[in-house]
């Protein structure tokens, strides 16, 4: 089957299976093209919880499908590629986090949604890149353990100087690869462009940003800004919708290294196979699910930036 036949067959099967097709903002263009909803990881999981469909096909990485399973336990959550993981989420385990908590019993654990369900279950509250600072500010605690992204952790710490912040040493290999030299080169070539950066970038890169935000925040900023040109400091998959929604504006990727191999694993063939076989299904153990849900629910009670 060619691309368009695959896309048509997937859409047909979505109707037959009563399935909702979700695609993260970093997925391949041909998948974003046919998704019911594209969005950031938490936004998509909330859509999974809201829908009246029976099946969720989650085109993203494993922790995202787990979040959908946590928030929508009555639905069948399919992850077309079970091997699509997140290296940053894998940099912390529940056991490792328990050890750190034992060293800092007075600290509140704030865990980025880019983490496994088991790690969320060990946490007091979750955060996303769009609400991290508000979450940290909402807490009475004087001491925070920020898990697992050291870059997001340092970004939070800068905004809550009144709190002691201990950052887990995890990072996103894709965002961490973006360098100051990449931004300086892009700026020299496009002096009229604004630089928007995801908080998973290093502090040195973030220091150069005109606007720091989540992937969803980038769509909003590109839409509302008067600027015509933007240097985009996040995974290249975001360009698809940025360009589609803003045909009169220019988006520049400052580095060819801004590609997440895990996000690009899922192909149309994988999505089709998942709908045909109703596999692989992602589930979360009931006890872990309940604890992880508590951490997510606490976060959902805090307003987004
Ligand atoms: P958001 O879409 O939540 O900003 O996440 C970025 C990311 O790296 C997801 O893997
Ligand atoms: Fe994980 Fe980074 Fe890939 Fe997102 S872009 S899935 S944080 S490795």
């Amino acid at each position: 089957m060619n691309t368009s036949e695959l896309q048509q067959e997937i859409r047909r099967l979505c109707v037959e299976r009563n399935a909702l097709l979700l695609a993260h903002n970093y997925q391949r263009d041909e998948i974003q093209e046919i998704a019911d909803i594209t969005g950031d990881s938490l936004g998509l999981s909330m859509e999974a919880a809201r829908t009246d469909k029976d099946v969720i096909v989650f085109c993203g990485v494993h922790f995202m499908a787990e979040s959908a399973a946590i928030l929508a336990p009555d639905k069948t959550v399919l992850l077309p590629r079970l091997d699509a993981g997140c290296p940053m989420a894998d940099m912390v385990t529940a056991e490792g986090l328990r050890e750190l908590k034992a060293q800092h019993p007075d600290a509140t654990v704030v865990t980025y949604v880019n983490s496994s369900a088991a790690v969320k279950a060990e946490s007091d509250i979750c955060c996303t890149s769009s609400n991290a600072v508000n979450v940290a500010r909402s807490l009475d605690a004087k001491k925070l353990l920020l898990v697992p992204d050291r870059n997001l952790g340092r970004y939070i710490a800068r905004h809550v100087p009144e709190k002691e912040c201990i950052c887990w040493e995890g990072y996103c290999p894709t965002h961490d690869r973006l360098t100051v030299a990449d931004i300086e080169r892009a700026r020299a070539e496009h002096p009229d462009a604004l630089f928007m950066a995801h908080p998973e970038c290093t502090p040195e890169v973030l220091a150069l940003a005109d606007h720091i935000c989540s992937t969803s925040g980038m769509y909003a900023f590109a839409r509302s800004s008067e600027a015509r040109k933007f240097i985009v400091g996040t995974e290249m998959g975001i360009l698809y919708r940025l360009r589609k929604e803003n045909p009169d504006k220019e988006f520049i990727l400052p580095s060819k290294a801004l590609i997440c191999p895990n996000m690009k694993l899922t192909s149309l063939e994988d999505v089709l196979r998942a709908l045909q076989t109703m596999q692989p299904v992602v589930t979360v153990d009931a006890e872990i699910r309940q604890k992880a849900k508590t951490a997510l629910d606490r976060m959902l009670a805090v307003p987004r930036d």
Side-chain angles (χ1 to χ4, degrees):
M1 274 194 253
N2 63 29
T3 300
S4 129
E5 287 165 348
L6 279 165
Q7 288 178 318
Q8 279 175 34
E9 183 58 6
I10 289 168
R11 290 307 322 166
R12 191 191 67 76
L13 272 173
C14 278
V15 174
E16 197 175 299
R17 299 288 197 195
N18 197 26
L20 184 73
L21 186 62
L22 300 178
H24 188 267
N25 296 325
Y26 298 161
Q27 287 290 293
R28 297 185 192 191
D29 293 2
E30 63 270 25
I31 290 182
Q32 293 196 46
E33 256 171 38
I34 53 161
D36 290 302
I37 304 170
T38 53
D40 63 20
S41 62
L42 184 77
L44 292 177
S45 300
M46 288 167 68
E47 293 292 348
R50 226 187 326 260
T51 183
D52 56 2
K53 303 271 194 230
D54 302 317
V55 177
I56 309 297
V57 185
F58 210 125
C59 300
V61 293
H62 192 266
F63 76 82
M64 299 179 182
E66 272 193 336
S67 294
I70 290 165
L71 294 175
D74 51 329
K75 316 225 162 92
T76 301
V77 179
L78 301 173
L79 179 67
R81 287 291 292 251
L82 210 46
D83 54 344
C86 168
M88 174 163 70
D90 293 342
M91 288 178 192
V92 57
T93 61
E95 196 190 353
L97 180 52
R98 277 195 293 274
E99 280 167 22
L100 187 67
K101 281 164 58 174
Q103 290 166 30
H104 303 280
D106 53 335
T108 292
V109 182
V110 181
T111 295
Y112 191 23
V113 287
N114 293 32
S115 54
S116 68
V119 166
K120 288 186 180 77
E122 288 293 331
S123 309
D124 295 298
I125 187 166
C126 288
C127 72
T128 74
S129 48
S130 63
N131 65 11
V133 173
N134 282 355
V135 165
R137 284 198 183 124
S138 76
L139 301 168
D140 290 333
K142 293 272 168 288
K143 189 173 178 181
L144 306 178
L145 299 184
L146 303 172
V147 182
D149 185 5
R150 65 183 181 205
N151 291 334
L152 182 68
R154 287 172 194 157
Y155 169 73
I156 297 171
R158 271 201 307 283
H159 286 83
V160 287
E162 69 282 9
K163 295 185 195 285
E164 182 187 352
C165 293
I166 296 161
C167 300
W168 191 272
E169 278 298 315
Y171 59 92
C172 163
T174 301
H175 288 85
D176 213 66
R177 276 197 288 268
L178 186 62
T179 64
V180 167
D182 292 329
I183 304 309
E184 285 173 348
R185 195 180 323 109
R187 276 240 154 102
E189 280 169 29
H190 308 278
D192 49 339
L194 292 183
F195 172 41
M196 48 186 186
H198 194 281
E200 288 176 17
C201 296
T202 64
E204 299 75 36
V205 166
L206 292 182
L208 302 176
D210 295 298
H211 190 61
I212 300 172
C213 56
S214 67
T215 53
S216 299
M218 289 189 187
Y219 298 122
F221 184 64
R223 204 177 309 125
S224 63
S225 170
E226 298 276 299
R228 317 308 300 163
K229 265 186 171 186
F230 301 84
I231 299 165
V232 182
T234 195
E235 211 272 351
M236 48 88 68
I238 197 165
L239 295 174
Y240 168 74
R241 233 175 90 196
L242 280 174
R243 287 176 176 154
K244 194 171 155 199
E245 291 178 358
N246 305 277
D248 54 335
K249 298 188 179 181
E250 193 181 335
F251 298 94
I252 298 127
L253 201 66
S255 162
K256 287 196 175 69
L258 281 170
I259 178 158
C260 172
N262 287 278
M263 278 288 179
K264 297 295 181 273
L265 269 182
T266 309
S267 66
L268 287 170
E269 285 84 355
D270 295 322
V271 180
L272 179 61
R273 196 175 320 108
L275 277 160
Q276 285 168 337
T277 61
M278 294 296 283
Q279 292 289 340
V281 176
V282 171
T283 55
V284 176
D285 164 84
E287 195 184 329
I288 288 178
R289 181 191 161 260
Q290 202 43 58
K291 288 185 189 160
K293 186 170 183 303
T294 303
L296 280 170
D297 285 344
R298 283 197 187 124
M299 171 190 76
L300 293 174
V302 177
R304 280 188 164 209
D305 281 336

